[in-house]
Protein backbone atom coordinates (compact mmCIF):
# COMPACT_ATOMS: atom_id res chain seq x y z
CA UNK A 1 0.00 0.00 0.00
CA UNK A 2 1.49 3.44 -0.88
CA UNK A 3 2.43 5.42 2.22
CA UNK A 4 0.13 8.47 2.60
CA UNK A 5 1.98 11.77 2.44
CA UNK A 6 1.86 14.01 5.49
CA UNK A 7 -1.35 16.05 5.56
CA UNK A 8 -0.80 19.85 5.46
CA UNK A 9 -3.00 20.03 8.58
CA UNK A 10 -0.70 17.64 10.43
CA UNK A 11 0.08 18.43 14.05
CA UNK A 12 2.05 17.09 16.99
CA UNK A 13 0.96 14.08 19.04
CA UNK A 14 -0.27 15.30 22.44
CA UNK A 15 0.90 13.52 25.59
CA UNK A 16 -0.99 14.46 28.74
CA UNK A 17 -0.48 13.71 32.42
CA UNK A 18 -1.46 15.30 35.73
CA UNK A 19 2.24 16.06 36.31
CA UNK A 20 5.63 14.55 35.55
CA UNK A 21 4.56 10.90 35.36
CA UNK A 22 3.68 10.97 31.67
CA UNK A 23 7.32 11.79 30.93
CA UNK A 24 8.07 8.09 31.57
CA UNK A 25 5.71 7.32 28.67
CA UNK A 26 6.90 10.17 26.44
CA UNK A 27 10.50 9.02 26.83
CA UNK A 28 9.72 5.53 25.52
CA UNK A 29 7.46 6.81 22.73
CA UNK A 30 10.15 9.21 21.51
CA UNK A 31 12.80 6.52 21.68
CA UNK A 32 10.66 4.24 19.48
CA UNK A 33 9.34 6.96 17.15
CA UNK A 34 11.70 9.96 17.21
CA UNK A 35 10.50 11.18 13.82
CA UNK A 36 7.18 12.57 15.11
CA UNK A 37 6.46 15.91 16.82
CA UNK A 38 5.15 15.80 20.38
CA UNK A 39 3.60 18.23 22.85
CA UNK A 40 3.83 17.22 26.49
CA UNK A 41 1.34 18.83 28.85
CA UNK A 42 1.60 18.38 32.62
CA UNK A 43 -1.15 19.75 34.85
CA UNK A 44 1.33 20.21 37.70
CA UNK A 45 -0.73 22.97 39.30
CA UNK A 46 -3.59 20.54 40.00
CA UNK A 47 -1.70 17.30 40.57
CA UNK A 48 -2.38 14.78 42.06
CA UNK A 49 -5.51 13.59 40.28
CA UNK A 50 -5.49 10.24 42.05
CA UNK A 51 -7.53 11.31 45.06
CA UNK A 52 -10.01 13.48 43.13
CA UNK A 53 -13.58 12.60 42.19
CA UNK A 54 -14.66 11.20 38.84
CA UNK A 55 -16.27 14.56 37.89
CA UNK A 56 -13.16 16.61 38.69
CA UNK A 57 -10.72 14.27 36.89
CA UNK A 58 -13.03 14.21 33.87
CA UNK A 59 -13.32 18.01 33.77
CA UNK A 60 -9.55 18.61 34.18
CA UNK A 61 -8.76 16.00 31.52
CA UNK A 62 -11.36 17.39 29.12
CA UNK A 63 -9.82 20.86 29.48
CA UNK A 64 -6.35 19.45 28.77
CA UNK A 65 -7.51 17.54 25.70
CA UNK A 66 -9.27 20.62 24.29
CA UNK A 67 -6.12 22.68 24.89
CA UNK A 68 -3.99 20.11 23.04
CA UNK A 69 -6.52 20.08 20.19
CA UNK A 70 -6.32 23.90 20.06
CA UNK A 71 -2.53 23.57 19.81
CA UNK A 72 -2.97 21.44 16.69
CA UNK A 73 -2.88 17.88 18.04
CA UNK A 74 -4.98 15.39 16.08
CA UNK A 75 -4.10 12.53 18.39
CA UNK A 76 -3.78 12.75 22.19
CA UNK A 77 -2.45 10.06 24.53
CA UNK A 78 -3.65 10.21 28.13
CA UNK A 79 -0.32 9.15 29.66
CA UNK A 80 -2.05 8.96 33.00
CA UNK A 81 -3.86 5.92 34.37
CA UNK A 82 -6.17 7.99 36.55
CA UNK A 83 -7.33 10.10 33.61
CA UNK A 84 -7.58 6.97 31.44
CA UNK A 85 -9.69 5.29 34.13
CA UNK A 86 -11.98 8.18 34.93
CA UNK A 87 -12.22 10.35 31.82
CA UNK A 88 -11.22 8.49 28.66
CA UNK A 89 -14.46 6.67 28.00
CA UNK A 90 -16.64 9.77 28.41
CA UNK A 91 -14.32 11.82 26.21
CA UNK A 92 -14.34 9.11 23.52
CA UNK A 93 -18.06 8.42 23.63
CA UNK A 94 -19.50 11.86 24.34
CA UNK A 95 -17.07 14.68 23.65
CA UNK A 96 -15.22 13.57 20.52
CA UNK A 97 -18.32 12.91 18.39
CA UNK A 98 -19.64 16.35 19.36
CA UNK A 99 -16.54 18.53 19.17
CA UNK A 100 -13.84 16.75 17.18
CA UNK A 101 -15.07 13.66 15.33
CA UNK A 102 -11.87 13.35 13.29
CA UNK A 103 -9.53 13.46 16.31
CA UNK A 104 -8.62 10.63 18.67
CA UNK A 105 -7.80 10.23 22.35
CA UNK A 106 -6.15 7.01 23.57
CA UNK A 107 -5.27 5.78 27.07
CA UNK A 108 -2.75 3.54 28.80
CA UNK A 109 -4.91 0.92 30.54
CA UNK A 110 -6.12 -1.13 27.58
CA UNK A 111 -2.62 -1.66 26.07
CA UNK A 112 -1.32 -2.79 29.47
CA UNK A 113 -4.26 -5.16 29.98
CA UNK A 114 -3.60 -6.70 26.55
CA UNK A 115 -0.05 -7.65 27.57
CA UNK A 116 -0.35 -8.75 31.18
CA UNK A 117 -2.59 -11.79 30.66
CA UNK A 118 0.13 -13.44 28.58
CA UNK A 119 2.81 -12.68 31.16
CA UNK A 120 1.34 -14.23 34.29
CA UNK A 121 1.96 -17.94 34.90
CA UNK A 122 0.01 -18.18 38.16
CA UNK A 123 -3.02 -16.30 36.80
CA UNK A 124 -2.73 -13.80 39.68
CA UNK A 125 -1.95 -10.22 38.70
CA UNK A 126 -1.33 -7.31 41.06
CA UNK A 127 -2.01 -3.65 40.32
CA UNK A 128 -0.32 -0.79 42.16
CA UNK A 129 -2.10 2.47 41.31
CA UNK A 130 -3.72 5.63 42.60
CA UNK A 131 -6.89 5.54 44.68
CA UNK A 132 -8.87 6.74 41.66
CA UNK A 133 -7.59 4.04 39.33
CA UNK A 134 -8.18 1.31 41.91
CA UNK A 135 -11.69 2.50 42.74
CA UNK A 136 -12.61 2.68 39.05
CA UNK A 137 -11.91 -1.11 38.71
CA UNK A 138 -10.70 -0.33 35.18
CA UNK A 139 -7.86 -2.86 35.30
CA UNK A 140 -10.06 -5.66 36.66
CA UNK A 141 -12.65 -5.01 33.95
CA UNK A 142 -10.21 -4.66 31.04
CA UNK A 143 -8.07 -7.66 32.03
CA UNK A 144 -11.03 -9.96 32.70
CA UNK A 145 -12.60 -9.01 29.36
CA UNK A 146 -9.49 -10.29 27.59
CA UNK A 147 -8.33 -13.01 30.03
CA UNK A 148 -11.38 -14.23 32.01
CA UNK A 149 -9.33 -16.73 34.05
CA UNK A 150 -6.92 -14.09 35.45
CA UNK A 151 -7.53 -12.81 38.99
CA UNK A 152 -6.67 -9.16 39.64
CA UNK A 153 -5.68 -7.74 43.05
CA UNK A 154 -5.22 -4.00 43.49
CA UNK A 155 -3.58 -1.81 46.09
CA UNK A 156 -3.93 1.97 46.17
CA UNK A 157 -0.74 3.89 46.95
CA UNK A 158 -1.99 7.41 47.73
CA UNK A 159 1.38 8.86 48.77
CA UNK A 160 3.53 7.66 45.90
CA UNK A 161 2.55 10.39 43.40
CA UNK A 162 3.05 13.27 45.89
CA UNK A 163 6.46 11.80 46.80
CA UNK A 164 7.51 11.69 43.14
CA UNK A 165 6.08 15.15 42.36
CA UNK A 166 8.11 16.51 45.29
CA UNK A 167 11.34 14.92 44.07
CA UNK A 168 11.41 12.46 46.98
CA UNK A 169 11.50 9.35 44.78
CA UNK A 170 15.10 8.64 45.80
CA UNK A 171 14.84 9.47 49.49
CA UNK A 172 14.97 6.82 52.27
CA UNK A 173 11.62 7.98 53.73
CA UNK A 174 9.92 6.84 50.55
CA UNK A 175 11.04 3.25 51.19
CA UNK A 176 8.64 3.03 54.13
CA UNK A 177 5.58 3.70 51.97
CA UNK A 178 6.74 1.57 49.06
CA UNK A 179 7.35 -1.42 51.34
CA UNK A 180 4.06 -0.90 53.19
CA UNK A 181 1.90 -0.87 50.03
CA UNK A 182 3.73 -3.80 48.45
CA UNK A 183 3.30 -5.88 51.61
CA UNK A 184 -0.43 -5.06 51.59
CA UNK A 185 -0.73 -6.10 47.94
CA UNK A 186 1.12 -9.40 48.41
CA UNK A 187 -0.89 -10.14 51.55
CA UNK A 188 -4.03 -10.19 49.39
CA UNK A 189 -2.63 -13.10 47.34
CA UNK A 190 0.92 -14.43 47.79
CA UNK A 191 0.71 -16.21 44.40
CA UNK A 192 0.74 -12.91 42.49
CA UNK A 193 3.59 -13.22 39.98
CA UNK A 194 3.14 -10.07 37.86
CA UNK A 195 2.56 -6.57 39.20
CA UNK A 196 1.45 -3.71 36.96
CA UNK A 197 2.93 -0.34 37.88
CA UNK A 198 -0.45 1.20 37.09
CA UNK A 199 0.52 4.83 37.41
CA UNK A 200 2.91 6.59 35.08
CA UNK A 201 4.75 8.17 38.01
CA UNK A 202 5.79 4.77 39.39
CA UNK A 203 8.68 3.94 37.02
CA UNK A 204 10.58 6.59 38.96
CA UNK A 205 10.15 4.34 41.99
CA UNK A 206 10.89 1.15 40.05
CA UNK A 207 14.17 0.41 41.78
CA UNK A 208 12.56 0.59 45.22
CA UNK A 209 9.50 -1.33 44.08
CA UNK A 210 11.67 -4.19 42.76
CA UNK A 211 13.62 -4.19 46.03
CA UNK A 212 10.48 -4.90 48.05
CA UNK A 213 8.68 -7.27 45.70
CA UNK A 214 9.29 -10.94 46.52
CA UNK A 215 11.83 -12.70 44.29
CA UNK A 216 10.30 -13.98 41.09
CA UNK A 217 7.57 -11.34 40.91
CA UNK A 218 7.76 -9.24 37.72
CA UNK A 219 7.14 -5.48 37.92
CA UNK A 220 5.53 -4.40 34.66
CA UNK A 221 6.26 -0.84 33.51
CA UNK A 222 4.00 0.74 30.90
CA UNK A 223 6.32 2.94 28.82
CA UNK A 224 7.42 0.37 26.23
CA UNK A 225 3.95 -1.20 26.12
CA UNK A 226 2.26 2.13 25.35
CA UNK A 227 4.94 3.06 22.80
CA UNK A 228 4.54 -0.25 20.93
CA UNK A 229 0.77 0.07 21.07
CA UNK A 230 0.90 3.59 19.62
CA UNK A 231 3.20 2.44 16.83
CA UNK A 232 0.78 -0.37 16.02
CA UNK A 233 -2.16 2.07 16.10
CA UNK A 234 -0.45 4.43 13.64
CA UNK A 235 0.33 1.52 11.31
CA UNK A 236 -3.30 0.42 11.39
CA UNK A 237 -4.60 3.99 10.93
CA UNK A 238 -2.78 5.64 7.99
CA UNK A 239 -5.47 8.35 7.90
CA UNK A 240 -4.30 9.45 11.37
CA UNK A 241 -0.61 8.72 10.80
CA UNK A 242 -0.48 11.21 7.92
CA UNK A 243 -1.90 13.88 10.23
CA UNK A 244 0.96 13.48 12.72
CA UNK A 245 3.74 15.94 11.90
CA UNK A 246 7.25 14.57 11.50
CA UNK A 247 9.95 17.09 12.29
CA UNK A 248 11.22 15.33 15.41
CA UNK A 249 10.32 18.28 17.68
CA UNK A 250 9.08 18.08 21.25
CA UNK A 251 7.65 20.99 23.26
CA UNK A 252 6.66 21.07 26.92
CA UNK A 253 3.84 22.89 28.70
CA UNK A 254 2.97 23.00 32.39
CA UNK A 255 0.21 24.66 34.37
CA UNK A 256 2.70 25.46 37.20
CA UNK A 257 5.94 27.40 37.30
CA UNK A 258 7.93 26.55 34.15
CA UNK A 259 11.26 26.81 36.03
CA UNK A 260 10.21 24.03 38.38
CA UNK A 261 8.98 21.85 35.54
CA UNK A 262 12.12 22.48 33.52
CA UNK A 263 14.37 21.49 36.42
CA UNK A 264 12.48 18.30 37.32
CA UNK A 265 11.68 17.18 33.78
CA UNK A 266 15.32 17.59 32.75
CA UNK A 267 16.25 15.14 35.54
CA UNK A 268 13.51 12.66 34.59
CA UNK A 269 14.34 12.77 30.89
CA UNK A 270 18.12 13.09 31.34
CA UNK A 271 18.15 15.94 28.82
CA UNK A 272 17.84 19.71 29.06
CA UNK A 273 14.36 20.92 28.19
CA UNK A 274 12.47 24.20 28.58
CA UNK A 275 8.79 24.48 29.41
CA UNK A 276 6.13 27.14 28.90
CA UNK A 277 3.34 27.89 31.31
CA UNK A 278 -0.28 27.66 30.18
CA UNK A 279 -3.65 27.82 31.83
CA UNK A 280 -6.33 25.18 31.21
CA UNK A 281 -9.30 27.03 32.72
N1 LIG B 1 0.46 9.61 36.46
C1 LIG B 1 -0.87 9.52 36.97
C2 LIG B 1 -1.39 8.10 36.78
O1 LIG B 1 -0.87 7.39 35.92
C3 LIG B 1 -0.87 10.06 38.38
C4 LIG B 1 -2.19 10.47 38.83
C5 LIG B 1 -2.20 11.51 39.93
O2 LIG B 1 -2.00 12.67 39.61
O3 LIG B 1 -2.49 11.14 41.07
O4 LIG B 1 -2.34 7.69 37.40
Amino acid sequence: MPKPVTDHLAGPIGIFDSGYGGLTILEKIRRLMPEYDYIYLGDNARTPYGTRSFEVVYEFTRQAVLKLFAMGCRLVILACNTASAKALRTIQMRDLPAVAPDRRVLGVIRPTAEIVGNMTHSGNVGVLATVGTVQSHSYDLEIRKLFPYVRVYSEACPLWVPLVENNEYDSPGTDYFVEKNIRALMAQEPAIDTVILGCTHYPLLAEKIRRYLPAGVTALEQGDIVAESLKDYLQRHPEMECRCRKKGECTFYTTELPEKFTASASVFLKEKITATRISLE
Side-chain angles (χ1 to χ4, degrees):
M1 195 177 18
K3 206 170 177 324
V5 288
T6 302
D7 193 302
H8 71 287
L9 290 172
I13 298 172
I15 310 281
F16 169 67
D17 181 47
S18 62
Y20 300 117
L23 294 170
T24 64
I25 303 286
L26 173 74
E27 188 193 0
K28 302 293 185 180
I29 291 178
R30 273 172 83 200
R31 190 174 299 169
L32 190 66
M33 294 174 288
E35 65 275 28
Y36 292 103
D37 289 7
Y38 300 97
I39 290 183
Y40 184 88
L41 169 55
D43 192 6
N44 300 77
R46 303 189 292 195
T47 196
Y49 281 14
T51 43
R52 294 185 188 273
S53 67
F54 175 93
E55 289 75 17
V56 170
V57 173
Y58 162 67
E59 183 50 28
F60 287 179
T61 307
R62 193 185 67 86
Q63 290 171 0
V65 167
L66 291 179
K67 180 64 80 175
L68 286 164
F69 284 172
M71 290 194 277
C73 299
R74 300 291 189 280
L75 176 63
V76 172
I77 311 298
L78 301 185
C80 174
N81 288 266
T82 311
S84 300
K86 291 187 155 185
L88 179 62
R89 203 172 156 71
T90 314
I91 288 173
Q92 285 176 332
M93 307 290 287
R94 202 172 68 190
D95 296 313
L96 285 187
V99 301
D102 59 340
R103 305 199 189 200
R104 291 291 173 267
V105 181
L106 306 173
V108 291
I109 292 179
R110 174 80 186 195
T112 311
E114 283 170 1
I115 296 290
V116 76
N118 292 322
M119 289 188 65
T120 174
H121 297 293
S122 71
N124 296 292
V125 167
V127 179
L128 296 166
T130 65
V131 176
T133 300
V134 170
Q135 285 178 349
S136 74
H137 297 291
S138 297
Y139 272 106
D140 321 35
L141 295 168
E142 288 295 337
I143 293 170
R144 287 219 296 265
K145 237 188 264 168
L146 300 164
F147 306 97
Y149 50 86
V150 170
R151 290 167 297 280
V152 181
Y153 303 88
S154 301
E155 185 65 27
C157 313
L159 286 177
W160 292 14
V161 169
L163 286 166
V164 171
E165 285 287 318
N166 288 289
N167 285 337
E168 294 289 342
Y169 49 90
D170 245 354
S171 80
T174 299
D175 283 61
Y176 171 81
F177 295 103
V178 171
E179 184 179 13
K180 183 179 165 193
N181 291 125
I182 287 178
R183 269 182 196 276
L185 176 69
M186 296 309 298
Q188 291 185 48
E189 174 49 73
I192 290 170
D193 66 354
T194 310
V195 172
I196 297 171
L197 307 194
C199 170
T200 55
H201 283 68
Y202 296 175
L204 288 151
L205 298 169
E207 205 187 298
K208 289 189 194 297
I209 292 169
R210 292 201 168 93
R211 191 181 310 152
Y212 292 109
L213 279 174
V217 177
T218 304
L220 185 59
E221 296 183 39
Q222 298 179 291
D224 286 327
I225 296 171
V226 175
E228 286 293 346
S229 163
L230 176 58
K231 186 174 179 180
D232 177 61
Y233 175 87
L234 292 172
Q235 277 166 355
R236 286 185 293 108
H237 294 273
E239 78 290 353
M240 177 57 77
E241 199 281 336
C242 72
R243 303 185 80 195
C244 296
R245 207 168 55 213
K246 293 183 218 54
K247 289 193 199 158
E249 292 170 359
C250 188
T251 45
F252 295 84
Y253 292 88
T254 174
T255 53
E256 247 299 345
L257 290 177
E259 298 76 21
K260 185 171 182 287
F261 186 92
T262 297
S264 294
S266 299
V267 175
F268 291 4
L269 292 172
K270 297 171 205 74
E271 75 176 274
K272 185 97 192 76
I273 65 114
T274 48
T276 306
R277 190 176 195 169
I278 51 161
S279 164
L280 298 183
E281 287 158 85

